[in-house]
Amino acid sequence: MSRQRYVPHFHDRVRAGRPLIGAGAGTGLSAKCAEQAGVDFIVIYNAGRFRMAGRGSMAGMMPYGNANDIVVEMSAEVLPVVSGTPVLAGVCATDPFKNIPLFLRQLKELGFAGVQNFPSVCLLDGSVRADLEATGYGFDKEVEMVRTAREQDLLTATYVRTEEEARAMAAAGADVVVAHVGLTAAGLIGATSAISIEEAAARTRAIHDAAKSVRDDVFVVCHGGPIATPDDAQEVLRRAPGTAGFLGASSMERIPAETALIDTMRRFTELSLASDIEETEVVA
């Protein structure tokens, strides 16, 4: 489970005109289905647990549990049911009580093929982001985590929101830079508003260009905001040439689960009872 095994395969896929597809998984069943569907990589992090418990993904950014401990707990459910697809662990690189280099080695020993920066301060802005940066809990810790992961031969996928963050992660050796354009806006517990597909494509394109200006071999994929369906992702890929694929989390497991469960359960609630005459005819 090393990056040397997967990165050449990713390049072959893209050269063949096939986008890289990553899937977030909050349960073992989601991960098992993702592998069966043929995704290229799977990511698990604390937000997946909240998401599949019926809570919004942003719960993963709040102090409702230690994110790094939760992903280790989730590994016991997910890793045994995934046989060949690389699984990446969400790492909170700003955790003051974790020796990050040691933690990365532990994740590799558990069977993770790589890591992703989540929870990430890149998803915060304003005074909260400024205060975190000013007190030693900044994005630079996530960049350093990715650099260390690369040295340990771990596959890395990194959330970024800005061109500056994209350049920093590319310079640190990130294999996949994920252009995060906002919380996914669809389904029962998604964001209630999002930017347009056109704006999502423009932001993805800007992040792509920034990352590629540092390293030509980095993959840039789109994620979040209005990109909730395969058609949405296809439209962003069309409008942002060079983008290598899509990473979905809510769009890969929560929204499909909501749709399928509601539809199936509603069909059960609409069943009809046999009339007395029909019951007699059946008996006869």
Side-chain angles (χ1 to χ4, degrees), residues 184-230:
T184 303
L188 298 178
I189 54 175
T192 57
S193 63
I195 61 176
S196 67
I197 283 289
E198 293 78 11
E199 179 62 20
R203 292 189 187 182
T204 299
R205 194 163 54 245
I207 288 171
H208 167 274
D209 293 347
K212 288 285 189 176
S213 72
V214 177
R215 272 186 32 243
D216 188 58
D217 64 337
V218 66
F219 300 101
V220 178
V221 303
C222 55
H223 171 84
I227 317 171
T229 68

Side-chain angles (χ1 to χ4, degrees), residues 1-3 5-24 30-43 82-88 113-114 155-157 175-176 219-221 237 244-248 252:
M1 287 295 183
S2 70
R3 68 176 297 277
R5 175 181 175 183
Y6 297 108
V7 171
H9 177 64
F10 287 1
H11 281 292
D12 289 343
R13 293 270 185 159
V14 173
R15 279 193 291 266
R18 182 194 180 284
L20 293 180
I21 301 298
S30 298
K32 197 175 186 72
C33 290
E35 182 167 55
Q36 185 67 29
V39 304
D40 297 296
F41 61 96
I42 295 168
V43 184
V82 178
S83 59
T85 305
V87 180
L88 281 62
L155 193 64
T156 51
D175 297 300
V176 181
F219 300 101
V220 178
V221 303
L237 294 178
F246 171 68
L247 168 63
M252 287 289 192

Side-chain angles (χ1 to χ4, degrees), residues 259-280:
T259 302
L261 289 170
I262 292 171
D263 179 64
T264 301
M265 292 178 184
R266 180 173 290 129
R267 289 168 60 195
F268 274 110
T269 68
E270 294 172 350
L271 293 175
S272 300
L273 295 176
S275 66
D276 291 341
I277 295 177
E278 288 173 335
E279 289 177 350
T280 303

